[in-house]
Amino acid sequence: MYPVNIKLMNKKTYHHGNLEEALLTVGMKEAKASGFRNLGVTHLAKMVGVTPMAVYRHFPSGENLKAAISQQAREELARRMLEALENEEDVKRKFMATGREYIRFGLEEPGLFAVAFIDCDASPQREDNPSARAILHDAILDLCNEGLVKPAELESVANFAWSIVHGFAMLASGNNPFRPEISPSVIENLLERSWLGVTQFSK
Amino acid sequence: MYPVNIKLMNKKTYHHGNLEEALLTVGMKEAKASGFRNLGVTHLAKMVGVTPMAVYRHFPSGENLKAAISQQAREELARRMLEALENEEDVKRKFMATGREYIRFGLEEPGLFAVAFIDCDASPQREDNPSARAILHDAILDLCNEGLVKPAELESVANFAWSIVHGFAMLASGNNPFRPEISPSVIENLLERSWLGVTQFSK
DNA sequence: TGTACATCAGTGAACGCGCGTTCACTGATGTAC
DNA sequence: TGTACATCAGTGAACGCGCGTTCACTGATGTAC
């Protein structure tokens, strides 16, 4: 039973058992705590209790490991968006909830958020799953089905909505001189203005 | 005559003459070429032809130098926004031009754009001048004067507009799996949708 | 106008560190017969 | 079921490098008298 957990806990064997997963786990922990600052091969290997070279059994280079951790962070964002969706019935409320959660994630997890969109020399080995982009698309598809958005506008609405929440989250979560004021009402105002751009364009 | 230029050119004197400015200049060059990757004290000192220690006569730490270069990049963005403004008369067109130029800057100068909003441990020693935020505020103030935006909405409109162009520029200029399609029509669509959120909110 | 001297703005060598990556190696695991 | 052996997944020492920062120093500049 529970072979994975047993292997993860048994640190005395020569073989780690699940080093790839362990590296991603500890990478996420570091990302959460300090963003992109401590995602090097040497450091993460030490955290896991393993020689740096062992990392190369699982990732072709440090940059690939970083890309994999970045993907984990994006998938965590996507999972939270899915959770937020589940609490809503109405298609507009579902759509708004994805955006609200995106911003919330940026504010509550600035480290993970920064890592999720880090500029990295490597690309991930697989597609995001779950994918935040796919979740947004689905939410807009629901708007189409209700006649609130024309199907032909799906892409441009996605661009628009994504830009807003991404921009706000970026500006609000980082350390820059243009940081906006942050409050629930500021965020709701932003989302309501967005709704106008989403639904009123072809009217 | 021209003491600054003479000093900048005369590399054989013991004293550099204008090391602070030279560091910022070469920092901008590096930022333009490769983003935040080569903004360390040792590297920039070498580029200028000076000992690393000399840098500390002008900046308390490497992080402060980085913050100063980041500010230079933001001011460059602001200057380009001002140029774009000058070509327009109509207040709506002025407003739209600032956003269009913001995005253009992100796409044409991804290195400078990344550095402009780099997450840095230090803060700049002075206010941005020109300030991109102030330029945006002024453009919205013009909209207020024409009755297109209520004065009380100035801040929320600024938040909204800034988030959109910043988010789009970030997503489009970096290396991430959610990069949007980039074309003039995509950008114009984004700006027109934004205009609805700016002007239709309290109607 | 000349000179003494404080201050300014650099040098150059060195530090300890962590980085990514390489090498040759070895203990553990799994499989074929 | 036992064993031989290939393969897998680690070790451990080492590499060259650039990093930020420190130190004691010195040549150049500017100022007071």
Side-chain angles (χ1 to χ4, degrees):
Chain A
M1 279 174 109
Y2 312 122
V4 171
N5 284 344
I6 287 171
K7 282 181 176 175
L8 276 172
M9 289 167 68
N10 183 358
K11 306 237 167 170
K12 298 185 177 177
T13 57
Y14 190 91
H15 287 185
H16 182 280
N18 211 336
L19 183 53
E20 178 174 342
E21 189 181 314
L23 283 168
L24 295 178
T25 302
V26 84
M28 282 290 277
K29 197 187 267 177
E30 290 292 303
K32 188 166 178 158
S34 53
F36 50 78
R37 274 168 243 277
N38 298 118
L39 300 183
V41 169
T42 308
H43 179 70
L44 292 178
K46 192 171 295 178
M47 289 289 108
V48 172
V50 120
T51 294
M53 187 51 205
V55 172
Y56 293 91
R57 294 280 169 204
H58 301 272
F59 298 93
S61 79
E63 214 62 21
N64 285 83
L65 170 54
K66 206 180 286 180
I69 295 169
S70 175
Q71 180 169 58
Q72 292 280 319
R74 284 194 305 279
E75 290 175 347
E76 175 63 21
L77 165 59
R79 277 188 292 273
R80 299 212 190 177
M81 287 167 74
L82 282 175
E83 275 181 37
L85 271 179
E86 283 173 9
N87 299 326
E88 305 291 345
E89 290 292 331
D90 181 61
V91 291
K92 173 180 175 181
R93 291 175 63 89
K94 273 182 185 289
F95 173 75
M96 300 293 250
T98 63
R100 190 178 294 111
E101 188 61 28
Y102 195 102
I103 290 171
R104 190 208 306 273
F105 185 78
L107 296 177
E108 288 184 359
E109 300 288 359
L112 290 181
F113 186 66
V115 168
F117 294 97
I118 197 175
D119 213 335
C120 188
D121 283 344
S123 294
Q125 301 289 342
R126 54 174 181 83
E127 301 255 296
D128 284 20
N129 180 28
S131 157
R133 187 192 251 307
I135 293 166
L136 177 64
H137 271 244
D138 287 351
I140 299 171
L141 219 51
D142 287 345
L143 298 180
C144 293
N145 290 337
E146 299 272 323
L148 291 163
V149 167
K150 289 182 183 167
E153 295 185 9
L154 200 154
E155 276 304 321
S156 68
V157 166
N159 262 340
F160 177 69
W162 194 291
S163 294
I164 293 168
V165 293
H166 189 71
F168 186 84
M170 275 285 170
L171 290 165
S173 78
N175 172 28
N176 72 75
F178 302 146
R179 201 155 166 185
E181 187 202 335
I182 299 164
S183 75
S185 71
V186 164
I187 294 168
E188 292 310 312
N189 182 286
L190 188 81
L191 293 173
E192 283 301 333
R193 287 186 188 277
S194 309
W195 184 248
L196 295 171
V198 168
T199 57
Q200 300 298 308
F201 182 65
S202 54
K203 297 260 162 98
Chain B
M1 280 175 110
Y2 313 122
V4 171
N5 287 342
I6 286 172
K7 282 181 178 176
L8 276 172
M9 289 166 70
N10 183 357
K11 306 234 169 174
K12 298 184 178 177
T13 57
Y14 190 90
H15 286 184
H16 182 281
N18 210 337
L19 182 53
E20 177 173 343
E21 190 180 315
L23 284 168
L24 295 178
T25 302
V26 85
M28 282 291 276
K29 198 187 266 179
E30 290 292 305
K32 188 167 177 159
S34 53
F36 50 79
R37 275 170 243 277
N38 299 118
L39 301 184
V41 169
T42 307
H43 178 72
L44 292 178
K46 192 171 295 177
M47 290 290 108
V48 171
V50 119
T51 294
M53 187 51 205
V55 172
Y56 294 90
R57 293 281 169 204
H58 302 272
F59 299 93
S61 80
E63 214 62 21
N64 286 83
L65 171 54
K66 205 179 289 180
I69 295 169
S70 175
Q71 180 169 59
Q72 292 281 318
R74 284 193 306 279
E75 290 174 346
E76 175 63 22
L77 164 60
R79 278 189 292 273
R80 300 211 190 178
M81 288 167 72
L82 282 175
E83 276 181 35
L85 272 179
E86 283 173 9
N87 299 325
E88 306 290 346
E89 290 293 333
D90 180 62
V91 292
K92 174 181 175 181
R93 290 175 62 89
K94 274 182 184 289
F95 174 74
M96 298 294 250
T98 61
R100 192 179 292 111
E101 188 60 28
Y102 195 102
I103 290 172
R104 191 209 305 274
F105 184 78
L107 296 176
E108 287 183 0
E109 300 289 359
L112 290 182
F113 186 66
V115 169
F117 294 97
I118 197 174
D119 213 335
C120 190
D121 283 345
S123 294
Q125 301 289 341
R126 54 175 180 81
E127 300 254 299
D128 285 18
N129 180 28
S131 156
R133 187 192 252 304
I135 293 166
L136 176 65
H137 269 244
D138 287 351
I140 298 172
L141 219 50
D142 287 347
L143 296 180
C144 292
N145 291 336
E146 299 273 323
L148 290 163
V149 166
K150 289 183 184 167
E153 295 185 9
L154 202 155
E155 276 303 319
S156 68
V157 166
N159 261 340
F160 177 70
W162 194 290
S163 295
I164 292 168
V165 293
H166 188 74
F168 187 84
M170 274 284 170
L171 290 165
S173 78
N175 172 28
N176 71 76
F178 302 146
R179 203 157 165 182
E181 186 203 336
I182 300 163
S183 76
S185 71
V186 164
I187 294 167
E188 291 311 312
N189 181 284
L190 187 82
L191 293 173
E192 282 302 333
R193 286 185 189 278
S194 308
W195 183 248
L196 295 171
V198 167
T199 57
Q200 300 298 307
F201 182 65
S202 54
K203 298 261 162 95

